[in-house]
Amino acid sequence: MTRALTSLFPRTAAASEIVGLVVVLLALMALFGSLSDRFLTGATFSSIAFQLPELGLLTLAMFIPILSGGLNLAITFSANISGLVLAWVITWGGGADAGLGVIVLAVVAALASGVVIGWALGAIIAYTGAHPILASLAMMIFLRGLGEFLTRGGSISGFPPAISALGQGTVLGIPAPLIVFAVCVGLWALLLNRTRLGFSIFMLGSNPEATRYSGIDTRFTLTMIYALSGFMCAVAGIIMASRFNSVRVGHGEAYLLITVLACFLGRVDPFGGFGRVSNVVLALVILQIIGSGLNLLGTNQHLATALWGGILLSVMVARYLWSRRGSVGSVGSVRTKPSPSTLHQGKQQ
Amino acid sequence: MRRFLPRLTGTELWLSAVIALIVVGLSATTDTFFTLVNLFDILNYSAVNIIFAAGLLVVLIAGGIDISFAVAASVVQYLLATTLMQFGGGNWVSGFALAIGFGAMLGAVNAAMIYHFRIISIVVTIATFNLFFGLLMFATGGVSIYLLPDWMVDRVVLFEQETAMGWAEITLPVAVMAVVVFATWLLLRRLSFGRQLFAMGDNTEGARRLGINIGAMHYLAYCWLGACAGVAGLMQAHYAQEVVPNALYGRELEVLAAVVLGGARLGGGRGTLLGAVLGLALIAITQNGLNLLGISPYAFRMIVGAIILIAIAMSAETLGLVNEKLRRFKASAGQTGVAK
């Protein structure tokens, strides 16, 4: 009986999380629909479908490091650098007249650069015991400087039509970037739930020391986590380049906070170890709807920034109040989570 | 006397060595670096960052992290300028009092969210960073204030000496920096509050069971940083003679990287003022050197980022690890030698 209950419990908990997020989603759509006549129209949903993938891909890049108990603050600039690599290869291969071979080469080079950046970051974190926040922060400063130095703060444009089709075209009426995003979501779900590496990532987030003792090469796993994150940044960089039809260092910088917000709204544990791709995708849709809704209502850009901060705080406060409500009355409700100030303490070596 | 001399531990010793190397290199390659004028310039320029660093160190030692402080300083600058203009200008005393008050208030917002709602500090401060900055830009429309009270923008020179290169001056921010660093040292090393902050950062649950008031310690740490940020904001406005809403935007990452480079542990319980100052000195001297060597300003960030990355990769802990491995290797080599 007890076993049946415990095996049932995670499923019902996951289901209630999804129901909760769907309710929020519907409520928001009703709210914006009543505030603006133009919200519940095809045009809005089409623009959401085109905008979601950029933010979504970056969120997937943030998701795995958070799952492992870390953070990758370098995601937006990694994406920029990969975009730059794409742009250089295409410019080298003839700019707007570049052939298919050059485009494939450019995409491969961009993905490879993302993986190399992520791998370097992961290796620093894994082999020196540096804190992920510090290492990714330094990497972010470095990548931003590198990008600004190489482009002198300007932008690179002039891509062949095939590239813009990737960012702006549709296949069977579905926006191409949305298809790329869906494939990446599937890839991440498969990787996390069906592979050895995925299982090690969850374990590493729960308890790095125990993971090491159970015979898993934690250093390799950590390096892979950031290499995967870098790969996803590169995909985001390519999509961003094709959507704007240009690459500039600093594009998408504002997404950094929103990716963190999406992960926490999607109930990823801030200390690592627990989180589901499906919830994060739902959270992303919610955030994109808020973003588009605010945009449609003509909200000032800076006020929107402040609102993002306010929303993040309210989500975390609501989660705390919700979890406390749940634990009141339970016998011996010992806080098993570390308290806020012992941030990542166990992971420091 | 010995007690007052800081003992150089691993990180600090290593950082001092790197700084010494850079200083020697720059003195040899440029004839402007090792002059009183340039050294005082570095000091005047770094004063604001060191004030930030002293406050941030307290939060890091207490086991938290804060990335909202630089933006909070900008908010304080605006609140300060508007309030002072409202009440006829004010003076240094009211200026400092208001800066400390407003700063501590913003710090208390962070502390309240972190302590009462058990949200991890990085999430809270990412949120308040956006909240503060968004509201500041929205409220001001991005417009700078150039009309500041006279006392605030008049340069205060505390020490000056004429050299072949011109006047070498030490200005007010340096003195304020010295006071803030001394006060922080007093808090961390001479008051029981400081001991309690270290204890909380090292083991929150243990500290709580010892009877340390965890809530009060959270407020102390974040309000201390807030007050330091307020003072730094006032000093920056004094130094720049204007208030620009995004002038300090991005400064937090530079300071955070430098303080952690100086040996403060993300996760709490460890960190020294000397280390934080050395971390900032490394970055300030590097930037100054790059400038004197005529390197493109576009490359500055890249080089500073690379230096931090290399410093992380070659930190004392890593060197210790390598050393240990070498010793083990030697030991095992010795053993096999005996076996043969």
Side-chain angles (χ1 to χ4, degrees):
Chain A
M1 182 62 199
T2 330
R3 190 187 274 175
L5 265 180
T6 45
S7 70
L8 200 69
F9 182 68
R11 281 168 196 276
T12 48
S16 79
E17 280 168 20
I18 289 188
V19 169
L21 287 171
V22 169
V23 168
V24 173
L25 184 63
L26 292 177
L28 273 169
M29 279 165 63
L31 174 72
F32 283 119
S34 65
L35 284 175
S36 166
D37 305 334
R38 287 182 298 149
F39 185 76
L40 289 173
T41 58
T44 310
F45 288 100
S46 153
S47 88
I48 286 176
F50 275 107
Q51 282 167 10
L52 181 71
E54 287 164 40
L55 175 62
L57 291 166
L58 285 172
T59 306
L60 291 182
M62 182 64 101
F63 177 57
I64 289 189
I66 289 188
L67 211 51
S68 75
L71 205 63
N72 185 358
L73 296 173
I75 52 168
T76 55
F77 289 102
S78 304
N80 286 160
I81 296 290
S82 297
L84 280 180
V85 170
L86 178 88
W88 285 324
V89 175
I90 286 179
T91 314
W92 164 82
D97 307 318
L100 192 67
V102 173
I103 293 174
V104 171
L105 183 68
V107 168
V108 170
L111 292 177
S113 67
V115 171
V116 167
I117 291 169
W119 178 84
L121 176 60
I124 289 174
I125 294 169
Y127 290 93
T128 68
H131 197 286
I133 293 180
L134 173 68
S136 63
L137 183 61
M139 184 57 95
M140 172 188 150
I141 295 174
F142 173 70
L143 291 178
R144 175 161 61 187
L146 181 71
E148 281 173 356
F149 175 61
L150 293 173
T151 62
R152 294 285 189 266
S155 63
I156 303 181
S157 52
F159 297 143
I163 289 286
S164 20
L166 190 63
Q168 295 155 14
T170 56
V171 179
L172 300 174
I174 306 168
L178 196 63
I179 296 174
V180 174
F181 177 55
V183 170
C184 289
V185 167
L187 190 70
W188 248 219
L190 207 67
L191 182 93
L192 286 171
N193 301 324
R194 292 279 179 273
T195 66
R196 220 183 129 77
L197 179 67
F199 193 66
S200 315
I201 293 173
F202 279 107
M203 280 176 71
L204 196 66
S206 301
N207 190 334
E209 232 10 47
T211 312
R212 199 164 64 79
Y213 285 146
S214 54
I216 288 170
D217 187 347
T218 48
R219 287 178 169 175
F220 170 76
T221 310
L222 259 179
T223 315
M224 283 307 290
I225 286 168
Y226 288 91
L228 284 169
S229 174
F231 171 82
M232 201 47 89
C233 291
V235 178
I238 295 169
I239 294 293
M240 265 153 64
S242 57
R243 277 223 348 117
F244 298 119
N245 212 12
S246 78
V247 180
R248 189 179 61 79
V249 176
H251 260 169
E253 199 183 345
Y255 283 141
L256 185 63
L257 162 82
I258 309 180
T259 61
V260 178
L261 177 55
C263 288
F264 293 147
L265 184 64
R267 297 200 56 100
V268 181
D269 192 305
F271 296 99
F274 303 93
R276 298 168 66 89
V277 182
S278 54
N279 289 356
V280 171
V281 172
L282 262 178
L284 269 169
V285 176
I286 292 176
L287 290 177
Q288 190 62 56
I289 284 182
I290 296 175
S292 299
L294 289 178
N295 201 6
L296 211 64
L297 294 177
T299 314
N300 175 296
Q301 174 213 338
H302 296 301
L303 191 61
T305 307
L307 274 176
W308 286 125
I311 292 169
L312 178 50
L313 279 182
S314 336
V315 166
M316 298 307 281
V317 168
R319 261 178 89 165
Y320 168 72
L321 295 176
W322 185 259
S323 71
R324 213 174 57 144
R325 190 203 67 119
S327 69
V328 164
S330 70
V331 185
S333 60
V334 179
R335 258 212 343 259
T336 48
K337 284 282 155 213
S339 77
S341 45
T342 56
L343 169 75
H344 298 301
Q345 195 179 36
K347 280 137 210 166
Q348 198 79 32
Q349 307 218 336
Chain B
M1 190 59 212
R2 181 103 191 102
R3 283 165 57 97
F4 289 97
L5 285 173
R7 271 161 293 172
L8 291 178
T9 54
T11 315
E12 289 152 13
L13 198 66
W14 181 84
L15 267 178
S16 319
V18 174
I19 292 173
L21 218 85
I22 294 178
V23 166
V24 169
L26 284 172
S27 310
T29 47
T30 67
D31 47 3
T32 36
F33 177 77
F34 205 76
T35 58
L36 210 55
V37 177
N38 189 46
L39 295 181
F40 280 7
D41 269 352
I42 297 179
L43 201 57
N44 288 329
Y45 169 77
S46 305
V48 171
N49 281 355
I50 291 179
I51 297 174
F52 278 134
L56 182 61
L57 181 70
V58 174
V59 164
L60 287 177
I61 282 172
I65 193 173
D66 191 338
I67 56 167
S68 69
F69 61 87
V71 169
S74 288
V75 174
V76 169
Q77 287 181 340
Y78 263 86
L79 290 176
L80 193 64
T82 4
T83 318
L84 287 174
M85 289 318 230
Q86 205 91 51
F87 294 103
N91 51 38
W92 277 115
V93 177
S94 62
F96 274 111
L98 280 175
I100 290 171
F102 286 138
M105 219 168 61
L106 293 175
V109 172
N110 282 332
M113 298 307 290
I114 292 165
Y115 177 68
H116 296 295
F117 298 105
R118 304 283 190 274
I119 314 173
I120 54 173
S121 43
I122 180 100
V123 177
V124 169
T125 54
I126 285 180
T128 48
F129 169 85
N130 282 266
L131 197 63
F132 292 161
F133 188 67
L135 286 179
L136 177 68
M137 292 299 278
F138 179 64
T140 61
V143 178
S144 311
I145 300 179
Y146 298 106
L147 199 74
L148 292 171
D150 288 338
W151 58 265
M152 206 199 270
V153 293
D154 284 342
R155 281 167 60 79
V156 182
V157 177
L158 301 169
F159 170 83
E160 55 186 349
Q161 183 164 8
E162 193 168 14
T163 67
M165 309 285 298
W167 284 93
E169 296 171 333
I170 283 192
T171 52
L172 182 69
V174 178
V176 173
M177 170 196 90
V179 171
V180 170
V181 168
F182 178 72
T184 308
W185 175 81
L186 213 62
L187 171 79
L188 289 175
R189 298 287 171 191
R190 284 293 171 268
L191 294 181
S192 79
F193 289 134
R195 296 277 90 202
Q196 296 182 22
L197 285 172
F198 273 98
M200 184 175 85
D202 201 51
N203 184 342
T204 312
E205 189 55 27
R208 196 183 62 79
R209 292 187 188 186
L210 268 178
I212 292 172
N213 185 342
I214 300 295
M217 287 301 118
H218 271 90
Y219 278 101
L220 173 64
Y222 287 94
C223 291
W224 188 273
L225 172 56
C228 288
V231 171
L234 177 59
M235 283 303 109
Q236 201 268 344
H238 165 70
Y239 183 78
Q241 306 188 336
E242 63 186 7
V243 173
V244 181
N246 56 2
L248 291 166
Y249 184 92
R251 191 73 74 92
E252 65 281 341
L253 300 182
E254 203 179 306
V255 175
L256 177 65
V259 172
V260 180
L261 194 60
R265 185 169 66 176
L266 283 163
R270 207 173 76 195
T272 61
L273 271 167
L274 182 68
V277 171
L278 286 175
L280 271 169
L282 175 65
I283 290 177
I285 291 174
T286 308
Q287 275 188 341
N288 178 266
L290 291 173
N291 209 355
L292 294 181
L293 290 172
I295 288 168
S296 153
Y298 281 113
F300 279 18
R301 264 201 193 131
M302 178 178 74
I303 295 171
V304 168
I307 283 180
I308 300 172
L309 277 175
I310 293 169
I312 296 168
M314 296 182 58
S315 66
E317 282 172 42
T318 322
L319 289 182
L321 211 75
V322 171
N323 206 6
E324 192 187 319
K325 273 200 178 155
L326 267 178
R327 211 178 301 148
R328 265 194 216 158
F329 177 73
K330 273 183 192 161
S332 66
Q335 271 176 357
T336 48
V338 168
K340 273 175 189 169

